[in-house]
Amino acid sequence: MEDLNGKRIAVLLANSGVEQAELTTPWQALGDAGAEMTLIAPEKGEVQAFDNDVEKADTFRADVAVADANAADYDALVLPGGTTNADRLRMDSDAVAFVTAIAEAGTPIASICHGPWALVEAGLVDGRTLTSFPSLQTDIRNAGGTWVDEESVTCTAGNFTLVTSRNPGDLDPFVEAAAKAFA
């Protein structure tokens, strides 16, 4: 794994609905590589994770409310999936504004499963190649992106690097590609 010492990585998710493995696996691996990890949500405080989108799992603590987050404070962004999580984020104007600001700053973004919905909502997939959970492929294509069915895709088109992946089964290649992009 790449050395991420000194890198500040934001993980943006809704207060309820995140797929636990898509939060904890990147969090642990990137943190173990030396990154300083910050959990950001619409509301500071408890975040409820789920397994398989429906089974309650652990809770986590959001360090920062997204309305108070400053994109300039971070060297990278991770957008975990979970159907409910991603749907809530794309409907939150502060979350969409934060994702947009991260991209406009040229900061790399890694997004897995349903996470790319926030990218679609922010208008950030046009002209890019990415992957996601298969049910998002029409949304991505309608937003001007090219959807492919691969474990992990790194796209450097435009002013920021985008790493995407399909589902929890792809977490190892996703984390590896994210670490490379974030280094």
Side-chain angles (χ1 to χ4, degrees):
M1 170 110 19
E2 304 289 329
D3 179 4
L4 298 176
N5 281 311
K7 297 291 182 179
R8 296 160 302 161
I9 300 175
V11 179
L12 177 62
L13 50 120
N15 289 90
S16 181
V18 69
E19 184 68 28
Q20 181 154 325
E22 294 173 7
L23 166 62
T24 58
T25 300
W27 182 279
Q28 184 70 47
L30 300 172
D32 286 351
E36 176 187 325
M37 307 296 292
T38 302
L39 196 59
I40 300 174
E43 297 176 20
K44 190 175 178 179
E46 187 173 282
V47 171
Q48 178 66 58
F50 287 82
D51 291 327
N52 304 311
D53 264 345
V54 295
E55 302 161 16
K56 274 193 175 182
D58 296 324
T59 59
F60 300 88
R61 179 155 180 76
D63 305 307
V64 178
V66 71
D68 299 328
N70 181 352
D73 292 342
Y74 302 99
D75 300 304
L77 172 64
V78 175
L79 294 169
T83 309
T84 304
N85 171 64
D87 193 49
R88 287 183 175 153
L89 276 185
R90 72 180 174 160
M91 298 301 294
D92 185 290
S93 60
D94 291 327
V96 173
F98 182 74
V99 171
T100 301
I102 287 281
E104 288 175 349
T107 304
I109 299 173
S111 183
I112 187 168
C113 200
H114 286 80
W117 263 341
L119 303 169
V120 168
E121 192 65 32
L124 299 174
V125 301
D126 189 24
R128 292 183 169 277
T129 299
L130 61 155
T131 194
S132 67
F133 195 78
S135 64
L136 274 66
Q137 63 184 294
T138 299
D139 295 332
I140 290 166
R141 288 181 180 130
N142 287 342
T146 300
W147 187 88
V148 295
D149 186 13
E150 297 179 18
E151 286 182 325
S152 180
V153 176
T154 300
C155 182
T156 56
N159 68 322
F160 70 98
T161 298
L162 176 61
V163 175
T164 53
S165 204
R166 300 175 298 196
N167 58 56
D170 298 332
L171 277 164
D172 289 341
F174 172 70
V175 170
E176 185 177 316
K180 186 175 180 184
F182 295 172

